[in-house]
C-alpha cells in the first residue's frame, strides 16, 4: 500500500528524481512534468498542459488513494497518453426521464 511513509521510495521506483532544493520530486515525461511537493503536501499535475483536475482533493496528501491516482496518471503518461486526455474527478450531471438532476 502506498502511504506517506513509503511514498519517496515509490516515486524513486517509478522514475521521479529529487530536486536539489526543498523536498520536491519530479518526473519529466516527453509531454509534461508531474511533481510531488512534500513541503506543501501537494501533488502537482500538468494542468498547464491540458490535464484536467476538477477537484483538488486528489492533489494533496490527505488520503492514501491520492497516491494510487498519482501512480495511475504516471502509468497512463508512460503508455503515451497525452495530458489533455486525462481528467481527474470530473463533475457529472445526471438527468432522468423526468428531467431531475442529481
Amino acid at each position: 500500500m502506498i502511504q506517506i511513509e513509503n511514498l519517496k521510495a515509490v516515486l524513486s521506483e517509478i522514475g521521479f528524481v529529487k530536486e536539489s532544493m526543498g523536498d520536491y520530486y519530479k518526473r519529466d515525461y516527453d509531454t509534461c512534468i508531474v511533481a510531488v511537493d512534500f513541503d506543501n503536501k501537494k501533488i502537482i499535475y500538468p494542468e498547464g498542459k491540458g490535464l484536467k483536475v476538477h477537484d483538488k482533493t486528489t492533489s494533496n496528501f490527505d488520503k492514501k488513494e491520492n497516491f494510487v491516482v498519482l501512480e495511475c496518471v504516471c502509468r497512463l503518461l508512460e503508455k503515451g497518453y497525452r495530458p489533455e486526455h486525462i481528467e481527474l474527478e470530473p463533475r457529472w450531471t445526471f438527468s432522468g426521464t423526468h428531467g431531475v438532476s442529481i
Side-chain angles (χ1 to χ4, degrees):
M1 178 183 315
I2 305 172
Q3 46 198 355
I4 293 173
E5 294 77 20
N6 67 354
L7 181 56
K8 290 178 184 180
V10 170
L11 292 174
S12 177
E13 187 69 29
I14 63 173
F16 279 71
V17 177
K18 185 178 186 319
E19 292 294 295
S20 59
M21 296 187 64
D23 207 2
Y24 192 87
Y25 292 73
K26 75 176 188 178
R27 176 149 182 208
D28 191 352
Y29 296 89
D30 289 337
T31 56
C32 62
I33 293 173
V34 177
V36 179
D37 181 350
F38 281 85
D39 292 328
N40 295 301
K41 295 182 173 39
K42 297 284 182 196
I43 300 168
I44 304 157
Y45 292 108
E47 293 180 78
K49 296 290 185 173
L51 192 144
K52 292 181 184 83
V53 180
H54 294 279
D55 190 342
K56 297 293 183 187
T57 58
T58 57
S59 301
N60 58 43
F61 287 20
D62 292 347
K63 296 181 182 173
K64 295 174 191 172
E65 68 191 50
N66 295 346
F67 306 138
V68 176
V69 172
L70 169 64
E71 184 182 7
C72 291
V73 168
C74 292
R75 287 178 184 233
L76 289 170
L77 292 169
E78 281 176 10
K79 292 195 175 291
Y81 281 79
R82 299 197 45 86
E84 63 268 22
H85 297 145
I86 301 172
E87 193 168 346
L88 304 179
E89 298 289 333
R91 301 282 185 206
W92 299 99
T93 301
F94 296 98
S95 59
T97 57
H98 301 289
V100 177
S101 294
I102 299 173

